[in-house]
Amino acid sequence: MEPAALERFASPGKGSGLRSRRRVRPGELLYRAEPFAYVVTKEQLGGVCERCLRRNEHLHRCSQCKVAKYCGKSCQKEAWLDHKQECRCLKSVEPNFPPDSVRLAGRIVFKLLRQSVCLSERLYSFSDLQSNTEQLSEEMKDGLRHLAQTLQLYLKMEIQDASHLPPVIDFFQIFTKLTISYIESLMTTSERQKQLMRQYCFECDCLLCQNQEKDAEKLAGEEHAWKEVKDAVNEVRYPKSKEEWEQVLARCQNLLSSNMGRLPDTNIYQLKMLDCAMDACINLECWEEALYYGSRTLGPYGLYYPGFHPLRAVQLMRVGKLQYSQDMFPQALETLKQAYNIMKVTHGTDHSLMQALVEIKEQCEAIMRIQ
């Protein structure tokens, strides 16, 4: 939103005038609401709290379904209304586990049945979301029908006869509306356009798509080299053990080494590989190597996520923390300041991530004063 102090308007019979408006400060919180529904993805399950989504090595699991895990009793109590019916459904389908989209759709169904008041619906309600069913291909419709049948089986413990549900709860229609954001912008124009048309049935006409901006940088380097990296990146699944992380890191090290001089770090698949190597090193507590890979990502992140972009802020924060861990306090402070200047706009001062950033930034400043 662009801050504005004054707005011109024309008044019938009175000529034109000026109407004052309060200036919106960068980072000022305009609106906050809990999401209508959300779930932890299967690959992240067990690593983050189901309620607050914070990563924690000592989570407490639900004693009934043994699936959901929480930071403690407070988070578990807050999550119970959304988890209560889901808990029985998860138990009923053991040892199978529903796809992420089915589990999310289940939560949506239960919330609609409860007719719960959700602040996020002050802007628009779930029923206001477009489905574009008539524009979907038959192949896409078949896939969504299969998901709807899977949802019906998953919810059978709580909903024996779906035909008795109110008209607003249509399993097929729910899947045609599911969305949080559109797509990752770190793709070429043609790939973004294809995915948007396939998933959301519209042709994007934004400036990024019109100008095909940065497409050359995104695929810079030798084609056969970035295609190999692309395949490797697409094969990576979120590891759950030290051994799996070690395998991921070894694969990243091998490709990054063999492609030295053949692929610039601005190549989007090279960049994703650097991110993957950084994540592996962090999970394996190889801090110095993690910093090496992370530092290489900052230039491309600045290119592809310019201005006040939350992804760039988070990446700067991660690199700043790694610099801090290596006693590189002047560099860490500079990096953390850059993250702070972006995050105060993208996240606001009350966000938990912002508070964590301020804490480590202040620790760094304190050390710098002593030295």
Side-chain angles (χ1 to χ4, degrees):
M1 179 177 181
E2 290 293 329
L6 296 172
E7 177 184 4
R8 285 190 183 274
F9 70 99
S11 177
K14 296 182 180 179
S16 63
L18 289 174
R19 179 170 61 193
S20 64
R21 301 176 71 188
R22 185 174 66 82
R23 180 178 291 277
V24 178
R25 301 189 309 275
E28 181 178 354
L29 180 64
L30 299 181
Y31 187 81
R32 170 182 287 164
E34 288 275 327
F36 186 81
Y38 63 96
V39 293
V40 176
T41 61
K42 189 176 180 180
E43 62 182 15
Q44 298 279 0
L45 208 59
V48 298
C49 174
E50 291 265 344
R51 170 58 185 166
C52 68
L53 305 180
R54 289 189 176 91
R55 189 171 294 280
N56 194 322
E57 294 181 1
H58 307 288
L59 295 170
H60 305 278
R61 70 179 182 179
C62 171
S63 60
Q64 299 299 313
C65 67
K66 307 291 193 300
V67 172
K69 292 189 176 182
Y70 305 96
C71 292
K73 291 183 178 179
S74 176
C75 274
Q76 187 169 9
K77 185 177 180 181
E78 290 176 12
W80 181 239
L81 190 60
D82 287 323
H83 181 61
K84 183 179 179 181
Q85 291 173 288
E86 171 194 67
C87 186
R88 291 191 283 265
C89 293
L90 288 170
K91 284 180 65 179
S92 71
V93 297
E94 288 179 337
N96 297 315
F97 193 83
D100 295 335
S101 57
V102 170
R103 190 180 173 205
L104 177 60
R107 287 196 168 197
I108 291 172
V109 169
F110 293 140
K111 194 151 193 171
L112 291 172
L113 285 173
R114 292 199 306 269
Q115 297 183 330
S116 300
V117 176
C118 185
L119 290 178
S120 64
E121 290 197 288
R122 286 184 177 178
L123 298 177
Y124 54 85
S125 68
F126 181 78
S127 60
D128 289 330
L129 294 173
Q130 298 297 307
S131 63
N132 296 304
T133 307
E134 66 284 353
Q135 298 181 43
L136 297 175
S137 66
E138 284 304 315
E139 183 182 3
M140 179 70 78
K141 288 179 182 177
D142 287 342
L144 294 176
R145 289 189 192 102
H146 177 72
L147 282 174
Q149 291 168 1
T150 305
L151 175 62
Q152 189 169 348
L153 291 172
Y154 169 58
L155 299 182
K156 198 166 185 179
M157 174 62 70
E158 292 294 308
I159 302 173
Q160 285 75 35
D161 189 350
S163 64
H164 293 165
L165 291 172
V168 70
I169 303 178
D170 182 304
F171 289 174
F172 177 79
Q173 289 290 328
I174 284 176
F175 282 106
T176 63
K177 300 180 179 186
L178 282 177
T179 181
I180 298 174
S181 59
Y182 286 109
I183 52 172
E184 165 61 59
S185 60
L186 204 62
M187 302 166 66
T188 61
T189 302
S190 60
E191 287 179 322
R192 291 197 311 273
Q193 292 281 8
K194 286 177 185 176
Q195 192 168 332
L196 287 170
M197 182 56 71
R198 183 175 61 84
Q199 287 186 250
Y200 303 105
C201 304
F202 75 90
E203 184 175 338
C204 183
D205 194 34
C206 73
L207 286 176
L208 187 66
C209 289
Q210 285 182 27
N211 303 332
Q212 299 187 16
E213 190 179 351
K214 302 186 177 78
D215 274 6
E217 292 96 333
K218 288 177 180 178
L219 295 182
E222 299 178 17
E223 185 175 353
H224 67 277
W226 62 252
K227 282 187 174 180
E228 183 183 9
V229 175
K230 178 183 178 181
D231 291 340
V233 168
N234 291 335
E235 289 170 4
V236 173
R237 297 294 179 266
Y238 197 83
K240 293 182 180 294
S241 67
K242 180 181 178 182
E243 291 73 19
E244 290 177 346
W245 276 118
E246 288 173 343
Q247 292 171 9
V248 169
L249 180 57
R251 178 76 166 134
C252 292
Q253 289 170 332
N254 179 53
L255 282 171
L256 290 170
S257 175
S258 64
N259 288 322
M260 188 72 71
R262 299 164 68 198
L263 290 180
D265 292 343
T266 53
N267 181 286
I268 56 176
Y269 304 114
Q270 175 87 343
L271 178 56
K272 290 176 181 180
M273 182 63 73
L274 288 169
D275 259 331
C276 190
M278 180 186 179
D279 288 340
C281 288
I282 289 173
N283 280 277
L284 294 170
E285 299 184 2
C286 302
W287 310 122
E288 187 176 353
E289 191 174 357
L291 175 57
Y292 167 70
Y293 294 126
S295 298
R296 288 174 61 179
T297 69
L298 293 186
Y301 265 73
L303 175 66
Y304 297 129
Y305 303 118
F308 297 105
H309 199 292
L311 291 181
R312 183 169 172 235
V314 171
Q315 191 76 345
L316 283 163
M317 179 179 175
R318 296 174 78 205
V319 173
K321 288 172 69 176
L322 289 168
Q323 291 171 328
Y324 180 87
S325 74
Q326 298 300 300
D327 297 337
M328 299 168 62
F329 301 117
Q331 298 93 326
L333 184 57
E334 178 59 32
T335 306
L336 293 170
K337 282 181 177 178
Q338 291 181 52
Y340 175 84
N341 289 333
I342 299 172
M343 202 174 286
K344 70 181 180 183
V345 175
T346 59
H347 291 67
T349 55
D350 295 333
H351 196 280
S352 59
L353 200 60
M354 183 65 162
Q355 292 167 0
L357 172 60
V358 169
E359 184 179 350
I360 190 171
K361 177 173 164 288
E362 289 177 348
Q363 289 173 2
C364 199
E365 288 170 336
I367 293 172
M368 292 287 292
R369 284 194 294 269
I370 296 172
Q371 291 181 342

